[in-house]
Amino acid sequence: ALEARLRGLEGVLIPADVTVEVTRNYGETARDKVTTLKEHLGLAIVAVGLVILFTMGWRAALVVMMAVPVTFALTLFVYQVFGYTLNRVTLFALIFVTGIVIDDSIIVAENMERHFSMRDRPLRQAARAAVDEVGNPTILATLTVIAAVLPMLFVSGLMGPYMSPMPIGSTLAMLFSLGVALTITPWLAYRLLGRAHAGDGREEAAPGDGVGEAPAYRVEDTRLYRFYARIMGPLLARRGRLWAVMAGVSVLLLGAGALFVTRAVSVKMLPFDDKNELQIIVDVPEGTTLEATTALAQDVARAVAGVPEVRRVQLFAGTAAPVNFNGLIRHYYLRRGPHVADLQVDLIDKGMREARSHDVALRLRPLVDSVAAAWGAGARVKVVEVPPGPPVLSTLVAEVYGPDDVSRTALAEKVFAAFQAHPSVVDVDWSRAAAQERAVWRIDPERAALAGVDKGAAIAALRAALAGQVATELAVPGARTPVPVRVRLETAGRAGRERLQALGVARADGRGLVPLAELVDARSEVAPQPIDRKNGRRVVYVTAEVAGRIESPVYAILDLAGPLADETGALQLYRRGPGLVEGGVLKWDGEWQITYEVFRDLGIAFAGALALIYVLIVAWFGSFVTPAVMMAAIPLTLVGVAPGHVLFGAFFTATSMIGMIALAGIMVRNGILLIDYLEARRADGVPLERAILEAGAVRTRPIALTAGTVVIGALVILFDPIFQGLAVSLVTGALASTVLTLVVVPGLYALLRAPRRTPSQEV
């Protein structure tokens, strides 16, 4: 609407020689993001449907995929009720659960098809038996997945509202999908899948009429049974082999954890997104003229404009650029004065360039640093990127406290020097202003009285000379308001102390002027520093960005903390502010603080999810050991997640943690399906080893299909800068843990439930 209004004003209110161009349009950015995510959502649905089509046939694909439109329609309806908009987070929640919402339908449809293939009873009875067999474990499995993701709702801080649509949307979608799987899916599977097996006339057959004397389906005749038996049979025959497998898996888990310790996998809040804009902040020592600041900013603009990805550069000298969310938190909107300048850098659209905006920023930083170095000491030019998550004062922030100004400044100087010495810490700055000399004129009352000059007149004359004074107003024809006439000394006349002291002040009687120098005592002093306070305590901020070999502030802090402790002996705090400040205190803040809070809350949510899952399984199975066996699949996700982040060169981010939490529920679902069928077969009198082989053969296909849909659904966001970590966790974690689950969970069950054998019995 605004663009249409501007076009209508061209040639009417806007002159023909004035060009209007929109330089920032976050509405367009939001629309592009939503459009892209809707495309990803469509791709995920199609890809998942193709997986079902090629593995189970078109009838099964139609049955299973019916869950998607019904589930999403109901979820979007609840979004509307809750007041959620279609944005990046809510759409991402739908993509996130695309592969999960059809899992229940896959399990029901696959089991119905298996029972139809057995041909041991009429179709209607086979359908009821199939749903009855997997109904309870499906309900429990869905509740465990919900229990895994729902605690994310309680993440605190700025990330809380950002994350809340994900657990809400995922929970609703899974509840609706469960309802679909237990109502629509059985009916549709009976109508479509039953037709493929209706040629034997079983609809009209009565129980006990001979149907089922020669069943067409036996588990031991399937290729899955033979394949699974070749793997698990030798392991079940000798307990020592099972213990060796468990030891090997433990080594894999330790190796995956070591990737975090060795920094092969870097932990970061969120990676930088690919934006179409950057910001360059120019600061020169206080007291620099506006002309000199503008000249430096123009040199920076010329250097930046030579980069191929840069579309245009806007320069704001002496004032702040139009504020954005990042600038609001960093207080850029307060920047005023001749010693500051902002450059807004617009990049060509990301669809037309190969380099991401973060890569462009890394290339720009050496260019602007060289311009600042050529200008002289004291010039600081910082390349600022749009943050991917909640903005902070700076990526790396050290809050320096002390009992007095001298100790605070001394400690801040050491921290400043340590920041500059670190190879991956750039754009170092602090909150202290450059020392400035100011002139102080104190009017001598006795000399003013002898000269016949009123003290107030002298002050008014000096104020008028420096700041100007409205002398009169002009009534200009055609003007809506009078035009003020401001009188002030020209720039050259107020550019030095001697010239100002030569300023004449009128006598009270109007007879002549007296030079200001005859009335005042002049002296010079250092201007007071601005005072920053946090929670009522005086503080000096040392700020920087982290870019280069490492880009996570977590590792920069780890590198800096030790040397600073040895050099300064200051108390270092990481989670909370200081109490009584009796000595030097260094509080690490910035992106680290949000990273700590988010991972802390997600860790607590993960622990709560595990406890809730355990309680659910214990209540269902009436055992304390069986749930532990099922939950053994959860840590197996780490075997895939950690190497997956190394393989894709991705940071382990908050979204990666969300993926691991979701995988906990998904992997427990697989364990429930396995163990539930296994115990049902044991209740029928089947020996333990035979029951394990049958459970693996029968449940491998639905487990593999549900894992495959999760993987396919996540692949579409694998290269999204923000959600890549979650996609990597889901893809690699699901693949690795699914394979290991089919071996580890039955193996643990055998070790815990099988009667002990003597060495002579193990063959």
Side-chain angles (χ1 to χ4, degrees):
L2 178 59
E3 290 172 347
R5 182 67 181 272
L6 284 172
R7 287 193 297 269
L9 294 177
E10 292 179 355
V12 180
L13 182 63
I14 302 174
D17 58 347
V18 173
T19 301
V20 178
E21 189 171 2
V22 178
T23 59
R24 184 193 298 168
N25 187 347
Y26 287 160
E28 182 180 4
T29 303
R31 182 174 62 246
D32 291 343
K33 290 291 186 183
V34 169
T35 301
T36 301
L37 282 175
K38 286 194 290 187
E39 293 172 355
H40 288 170
L41 179 60
L43 286 174
I45 294 173
V46 171
V48 169
L50 291 176
V51 170
I52 305 301
L53 175 66
F54 290 125
T55 53
M56 296 180 64
W58 69 268
R59 287 186 175 90
L62 185 59
V63 171
V64 170
M65 294 308 295
M66 182 59 66
V68 175
V70 176
T71 299
F72 281 3
L74 292 171
T75 304
L76 291 174
F77 171 73
V78 177
Y79 272 173
Q80 179 73 15
V81 173
F82 283 0
Y84 288 134
T85 59
L86 278 183
N87 54 58
R88 246 190 129 177
V89 180
T90 53
L91 281 173
F92 159 71
L94 296 181
I95 296 175
F96 168 60
V97 297
T98 298
I100 300 176
V101 295
I102 64 171
D103 286 354
D104 293 342
S105 295
I106 288 176
I107 294 169
V108 171
E110 192 275 340
N111 205 53
M112 290 181 68
E113 186 180 43
R114 184 175 66 85
H115 275 263
F116 291 156
S117 301
M118 294 171 65
R119 301 186 179 182
D120 60 346
R121 67 191 75 185
L123 287 177
R124 194 179 296 272
Q125 291 183 17
R128 290 171 179 166
V131 176
D132 183 62
E133 182 178 275
V134 297
N136 289 341
T138 299
I139 294 172
L140 177 60
T142 302
L143 292 178
T144 60
V145 179
I146 292 174
V149 300
L150 192 59
M152 289 189 293
L153 183 62
F154 303 102
V155 173
S156 61
L158 287 174
M159 284 297 289
Y162 185 83
M163 286 188 172
S164 61
M166 288 184 266
I168 292 176
S170 302
T171 299
L172 290 172
M174 284 183 280
L175 286 175
F176 291 142
S177 70
L178 177 62
V180 171
L182 296 178
T183 54
I184 298 177
T185 299
W187 175 82
L188 197 58
Y190 175 75
R191 294 296 178 185
L192 292 180
L193 299 180
R195 290 184 180 180
H197 305 276
D200 54 11
R202 284 182 291 153
E203 278 304 298
E204 292 76 21
D209 63 353
V211 175
E213 295 179 0
Y217 173 90
R218 292 196 313 167
V219 175
E220 57 269 25
D221 294 335
T222 62
R223 286 180 294 178
L224 274 176
Y225 183 90
R226 293 192 293 269
F227 175 76
Y228 193 70
R230 282 198 297 269
I231 296 175
M232 288 298 298
L235 299 178
L236 295 173
R238 297 182 65 90
R239 295 173 64 90
R241 293 173 181 172
L242 279 177
W243 284 115
V245 169
M246 301 307 160
V249 172
S250 300
V251 171
L252 289 177
L253 283 172
L254 291 175
L259 294 177
F260 292 92
V261 178
T262 60
R263 300 189 187 182
V265 179
S266 298
V267 178
K268 196 177 190 298
M269 175 63 196
L270 288 173
F272 283 107
D273 199 358
D274 191 7
K275 300 290 187 179
N276 288 331
E277 63 174 309
L278 296 169
Q279 190 173 3
I280 297 178
I281 302 297
V282 179
D283 290 295
V284 294
E286 285 78 356
T288 305
T289 63
L290 179 61
E291 291 77 10
T293 305
T294 304
L296 171 60
Q298 289 174 337
D299 290 342
V300 173
R302 281 189 285 268
V304 169
V307 176
E309 290 85 358
V310 174
R311 180 183 178 188
R312 57 179 168 236
V313 181
Q314 307 156 59
L315 193 157
F316 301 86
T319 186
V323 67
N324 53 25
F325 189 29
N326 189 36
L328 188 68
I329 301 299
R330 297 191 175 201
H331 303 161
Y332 289 161
Y333 66 99
L334 296 176
R335 289 164 51 82
R336 294 287 188 276
H339 59 283
V340 301
D342 282 10
L343 282 80
Q344 294 290 322
V345 181
D346 292 341
L347 306 178
I348 60 177
D349 188 81
K350 58 185 177 183
M352 303 171 61
R353 51 181 163 87
E354 296 181 0
R356 292 183 175 180
S357 59
H358 180 59
D359 299 323
V360 176
L362 293 177
R363 296 210 316 268
L364 287 180
R365 192 166 278 115
L367 293 177
V368 300
D369 286 346
S370 62
V371 174
W375 188 87
R380 299 191 182 97
V381 182
K382 293 171 281 190
V383 179
V384 180
E385 301 180 63
V386 178
V392 290
L393 185 62
S394 195
T395 304
L396 183 62
V397 177
E399 299 173 359
V400 179
Y401 300 89
D404 53 67
D405 186 63
V406 175
S407 62
R408 277 193 303 274
T409 303
L411 179 55
E413 288 174 345
K414 293 178 181 179
V415 175
F416 191 98
F419 279 16
Q420 287 186 314
H422 195 287
S424 295
V425 176
V426 298
D427 296 345
V428 184
D429 202 352
W430 64 347
S431 59
R432 289 187 66 84
Q436 300 177 72
E437 180 182 305
R438 70 174 182 178
V440 179
W441 289 295
R442 185 179 299 279
I443 298 178
D444 188 326
E446 184 177 351
R447 289 156 59 185
L450 291 174
V453 175
D454 182 66
K455 181 179 178 180
I459 295 174
L462 187 58
R463 182 183 295 115
L466 292 173
Q469 180 177 346
V470 176
T472 185
E473 293 180 341
L474 294 179
V476 180
R480 294 185 177 182
T481 58
V483 178
V485 178
R486 182 175 294 276
V487 178
R488 187 172 66 166
L489 280 179
E490 60 180 351
T491 304
R494 61 179 189 271
R497 184 183 307 173
E498 292 77 11
R499 295 183 180 182
L500 285 173
Q501 287 181 340
L503 179 68
V505 181
R507 298 177 186 271
D509 56 8
R511 293 183 297 179
L513 301 174
V514 178
L516 186 63
E518 297 182 5
L519 306 175
V520 299
D521 294 322
R523 72 175 189 274
S524 298
E525 63 180 30
V526 177
Q529 284 283 341
I531 298 174
D532 291 302
R533 288 183 174 87
K534 184 172 182 179
N535 296 329
R537 295 180 178 86
R538 294 192 177 190
V539 61
V540 176
Y541 294 101
V542 183
T543 61
E545 303 295 327
V546 182
R549 185 179 59 86
I550 62 173
E551 294 192 356
S552 173
V554 175
Y555 302 108
I557 292 173
L558 290 175
D559 293 341
L560 293 166
L564 281 173
D566 296 337
E567 182 181 357
T568 65
L571 173 65
Q572 297 190 37
L573 302 176
Y574 298 90
R575 296 175 298 171
R576 56 177 178 82
L580 182 63
V581 178
E582 297 180 345
V585 178
L586 176 59
K587 165 66 172 66
W588 295 104
D589 204 90
E591 187 180 299
W592 150 253
Q593 186 68 32
I594 293 182
T595 303
Y596 162 73
E597 291 175 354
V598 169
F599 277 92
R600 176 201 63 195
D601 292 347
L602 287 177
I604 295 173
F606 196 19
L610 295 179
L612 190 55
I613 290 172
Y614 184 77
V615 169
L616 283 172
I617 303 177
V618 167
W620 197 281
F621 284 93
S623 169
F624 291 100
V625 177
T626 301
V629 174
M630 297 177 183
M631 295 179 68
I634 294 176
L636 299 179
T637 59
L638 188 62
V639 175
V641 169
H645 281 77
V646 176
L647 178 64
F648 287 95
F651 290 104
F652 186 86
T653 62
T655 60
S656 303
M657 189 70 177
I658 294 173
M660 284 195 64
I661 294 174
L663 278 176
I666 296 171
M667 292 304 107
V668 171
R669 170 204 291 267
N670 295 340
I672 290 173
L673 291 175
L674 271 173
I675 301 302
D676 179 79
Y677 187 85
L678 194 160
E679 293 200 337
R681 295 301 292 155
R682 289 194 68 194
D684 293 338
V686 177
L688 176 63
E689 294 183 5
R690 169 77 180 194
I692 289 176
L693 296 179
E694 287 190 13
V698 171
R699 293 299 184 229
T700 292
R701 187 165 79 148
I703 287 175
L705 283 175
T706 55
T709 56
V710 170
V711 170
I712 295 299
L715 280 176
V716 297
I717 56 172
L718 186 59
F719 299 102
D720 186 286
I722 301 298
F723 300 121
Q724 183 185 39
L726 179 136
V728 170
S729 291
L730 289 178
V731 171
T732 60
L735 289 175
S737 59
T738 298
V739 174
L740 293 175
T741 296
L742 291 170
V743 176
V744 173
V745 171
L748 278 176
Y749 189 92
L751 290 173
L752 294 174
R753 296 297 189 186
R756 294 189 175 275
R757 299 180 178 182
T758 63
S760 61
Q761 291 176 309
E762 293 190 354
V763 294

